[in-house]
Amino acid sequence: MTKYIEYFQVEAKCLLKDFKKNLPEAKSRCEKYFNGRDSLSLMNTQHVIAKEYGFDSWNDLISKEPHKLAEALIIAKNKTFNSPFTLWHGGRITTGYEENKYKLNDPKDYQLEYDSKKKTFTPNNREYMSFEHLDVSDYDLSGIDPLKVRYTEDTKWPEDPTKLPLGFKPKEFLESRKNPGLGIKNLHKLGIKGQGRNIAIINWAGLFNHIEYQNNLKGYEEIGEEFLRGKSSEHLSSIIGKTCGLAPNACAYYYAVDLLRTQENPNGSNINFAKAIKKVCELHKNLIAEGKNGIDVIHLGRYFTPEDIQNIEGYEETLNAIKEAEDLGIWCYWGDISFTTKNKIGLGFIYCKLDGNVENPDDYILYSEWKIYKVDHPNTLCFPCGAKTVSLEVKMDEYVFEHYSNRYAITYISGLYLLAKSVKESITPYEFFELGLKTGDFRKGIGTIINPVRLIESLK
């Protein structure tokens, strides 16, 4: 059974559940094919789903090749979103049906030079390297650090285990690192999944039909004309993903804007960023008018401080938009705690070591770039920052192991905040971080490591 069929099965089960609740939308959908029926079976709703996606029957659906199912999903989503799901990467297209029909690239194509003495690659003068869609099976990789490698499910590794780092099994490791860690899965088992909560994400454009999260992505809009594409999928899957996410029952609304301009990237303006925040404010008010919960947090997919944009066009507009959002009770989170909560809490980034257990705080290491900041203090609250598997933009059912970086810590914070809001709706960002310190686990040399289970328990 393909992952696509699994997706349709979930759709049918959800439709049946809503039909039994007599929800108007579900009743209307089913009446098109089973008019006058007071009760339906799962087989009946499977038929409805098949028809809605353009198939003659459920048997017709499950007999189709994966690319036909992928195309059906894309067509359906494009009816509700105003931007088509197209993204090119390495010559491949998003539907992801060309399984085993393309040739994996050689590292030489990416100017990765192999050092046979050190048994590692020189990754284009960067600390990290990407084996995404590469064939590295001919190399001795026993000297590499897998936590500094971005690789995909189809990366071809050496078959000889002595040519891999000791104990490293790429496929098993990639699968195990879908877990957000530190007890999040235990909260999910208790039914705490961010149900009823909403988040708005402002970031680059990208792929928005991955099976990891597409059921929870409720809206998408592009603001501007030119866009950098990529990194959108990992934010969505890390926050609302069904297997990778912290809040798999929360809903997201995505606003794609041109890259946020900072002093490091001065060419351009942040006007569209301010426009996106204002659109979130309107969405928030509309949701409340419909009797639903509003937007809990606006998540920006990168870490920066206000000083980074203060000399860039659109600075005042951005601050005014943020104030409007926060006056509505929306937390605008862009990675800087002091700017949004005006407290004395430091922020630390950590990741789980290669042979560690993601559930055990003792197996976490301080992110190397963060050692230059004030750490090893009880008031430094530390969050996981990657070394994690997330969804990939290229294919609807593909995943990638991402090396550690501060970008992922922001998604962890946003996702955990949604879980907290689902338990105590009145919680504020200030209270969230304060409770994080009180309920966390202090580790010498690091700081206070967030303990999601104790934090959530303290809210009940």
Side-chain angles (χ1 to χ4, degrees):
M1 182 177 70
T2 70
K3 294 178 182 177
Y4 297 117
I5 293 177
E6 179 185 344
Y7 171 81
F8 290 115
Q9 287 181 328
V10 172
E11 283 274 278
K13 290 177 181 177
C14 290
L15 178 58
L16 179 60
K17 182 178 180 180
D18 291 344
F19 179 85
K20 290 181 176 179
K21 291 181 179 179
N22 289 316
L23 297 184
E25 182 184 6
K27 299 283 287 188
S28 175
R29 290 167 62 189
C30 293
E31 284 176 358
K32 292 180 181 179
Y33 307 100
F34 297 99
N35 190 25
R37 295 275 293 272
D38 293 328
S39 63
L40 294 178
S41 66
L42 178 59
M43 186 178 297
N44 296 143
T45 55
Q46 285 175 338
H47 180 76
V48 174
I49 293 299
K51 298 293 287 186
E52 287 181 339
Y53 282 96
F55 301 99
D56 293 334
S57 65
W58 181 256
N59 286 335
D60 181 36
L61 184 154
I62 62 177
S63 68
K64 296 298 184 184
E65 296 177 349
H67 74 276
K68 290 294 184 182
L69 301 179
E71 288 173 352
L73 286 169
I74 290 176
I75 290 171
K77 276 292 185 180
N78 280 344
K79 291 179 181 178
T80 57
F81 285 179
N82 61 9
S83 177
F85 296 122
T86 54
L87 179 69
W88 292 268
H89 183 93
R92 301 170 63 198
I93 198 165
T94 56
T95 51
Y97 60 81
E98 299 168 293
E99 305 290 349
N100 302 317
K101 293 184 179 180
Y102 61 91
K103 181 180 179 181
L104 291 177
N105 296 303
D106 188 281
K108 294 177 182 177
D109 297 337
Y110 292 81
Q111 291 80 49
L112 294 180
E113 297 182 6
Y114 183 70
D115 187 330
S116 59
K117 291 183 178 180
K118 295 182 179 179
K119 298 180 180 179
T120 189
F121 286 90
T122 302
N124 297 329
N125 298 318
R126 299 168 63 184
E127 183 180 1
Y128 307 105
M129 66 189 87
S130 177
F131 288 173
E132 182 182 334
H133 311 307
L134 294 189
D135 183 349
V136 291
S137 59
D138 291 335
Y139 298 92
D140 182 351
L141 305 179
S142 58
I144 69 169
D145 179 357
L147 295 181
K148 294 183 178 181
V149 177
R150 173 184 167 96
Y151 72 92
T152 44
E153 294 171 292
D154 60 0
T155 298
K156 192 172 182 180
W157 297 86
E159 294 183 5
D160 184 352
T162 64
K163 292 185 178 181
L164 291 173
L166 184 63
F168 177 58
K169 298 179 180 179
K171 290 187 177 181
E172 290 87 341
F173 185 71
L174 183 143
E175 184 64 29
S176 69
R177 287 300 175 106
K178 289 180 180 179
N179 184 351
L182 297 179
I184 293 297
K185 290 296 185 182
N186 290 333
L187 292 174
H188 292 171
K189 291 177 181 178
L190 296 174
I192 302 171
K193 299 181 178 181
Q195 52 275 12
R197 311 320 307 175
N198 299 304
I199 185 170
I201 301 176
I202 303 175
N203 200 20
W204 297 349
L207 173 69
F208 300 98
N209 59 343
H210 200 285
I211 62 173
E212 175 69 16
Y213 53 76
Q214 64 166 294
N215 225 23
N216 295 354
L217 182 58
K218 300 302 182 181
Y220 170 72
E221 183 175 349
E222 291 184 353
I223 303 173
E225 298 179 356
E226 296 183 5
F227 302 93
L228 287 175
R229 297 189 178 272
K231 304 302 182 185
S232 57
S233 186
E234 68 180 54
H235 291 282
L236 286 163
S237 65
S238 296
I239 298 173
I240 62 169
K242 64 180 182 180
T243 57
C244 304
L246 281 88
N249 282 6
C251 294
Y253 298 82
Y254 200 101
Y255 294 84
V257 300
D258 44 1
L259 179 65
L260 181 70
R261 303 300 169 183
T262 67
Q263 291 178 347
E264 295 176 352
N265 302 290
N267 297 323
S269 116
N270 289 325
I271 296 295
N272 288 334
F273 180 59
K275 288 181 179 178
I277 297 176
K278 286 185 170 293
K279 283 183 175 290
V280 175
C281 293
E282 290 303 312
L283 171 64
H284 174 83
K285 289 183 281 190
N286 290 339
L287 288 172
I288 292 177
E290 295 171 2
K292 302 175 182 177
N293 292 325
I295 302 297
D296 294 310
V297 57
I298 297 175
H299 168 90
L300 178 67
R302 59 166 293 174
Y303 178 88
F304 72 101
T305 64
E307 289 75 19
D308 292 328
I309 65 169
Q310 63 183 354
N311 296 322
I312 309 299
E313 181 185 13
Y315 176 67
E316 291 298 330
E317 290 87 346
T318 299
L319 292 188
N320 291 336
I322 288 174
K323 184 179 185 305
E324 179 182 349
E326 294 189 335
D327 286 345
L328 292 171
I330 306 171
W331 180 32
C332 294
Y333 181 54
W334 50 4
D336 180 35
I337 294 176
S338 62
F339 181 65
T340 52
T341 64
K342 298 180 177 61
N343 57 31
K344 301 293 185 180
I345 299 174
L347 184 64
F349 295 161
I350 54 176
Y351 64 93
C352 185
K353 58 187 180 181
L354 182 63
D355 59 349
N357 179 354
V358 294
E359 304 289 9
N360 186 357
D362 291 326
D363 286 341
Y364 281 76
I365 305 169
L366 189 67
Y367 177 39
S368 59
E369 293 183 13
W370 216 245
K371 292 178 181 178
I372 63 174
Y373 297 94
K374 185 178 181 180
V375 294
D376 191 17
H377 190 280
N379 282 350
T380 299
L381 187 57
C382 302
F383 294 87
C385 69
K388 185 185 185 300
T389 299
V390 292
S391 59
L392 186 64
E393 282 86 359
V394 180
K395 292 165 56 179
M396 292 176 62
D397 61 346
E398 189 169 25
Y399 294 82
V400 59
F401 174 77
E402 278 281 10
H403 57 72
Y404 47 85
S405 72
N406 58 11
R407 183 175 60 246
Y408 174 71
I410 303 173
T411 67
Y412 197 101
I413 293 170
S414 294
L416 184 55
Y417 185 69
L418 291 175
L419 294 186
K421 292 285 283 188
S422 71
V423 175
K424 182 182 178 181
E425 189 170 7
S426 63
I427 190 172
T428 65
Y430 179 83
E431 183 183 2
F432 173 75
F433 286 112
E434 284 289 307
L435 285 174
L437 283 178
K438 292 179 181 178
T439 59
D441 300 299
F442 178 72
R443 293 294 182 270
K444 185 173 177 56
I446 296 179
T448 299
I449 297 175
I450 191 74
N451 188 315
V453 175
R454 284 208 295 263
L455 187 154
I456 296 299
E457 287 294 328
S458 71
L459 298 175
K460 293 182 178 180

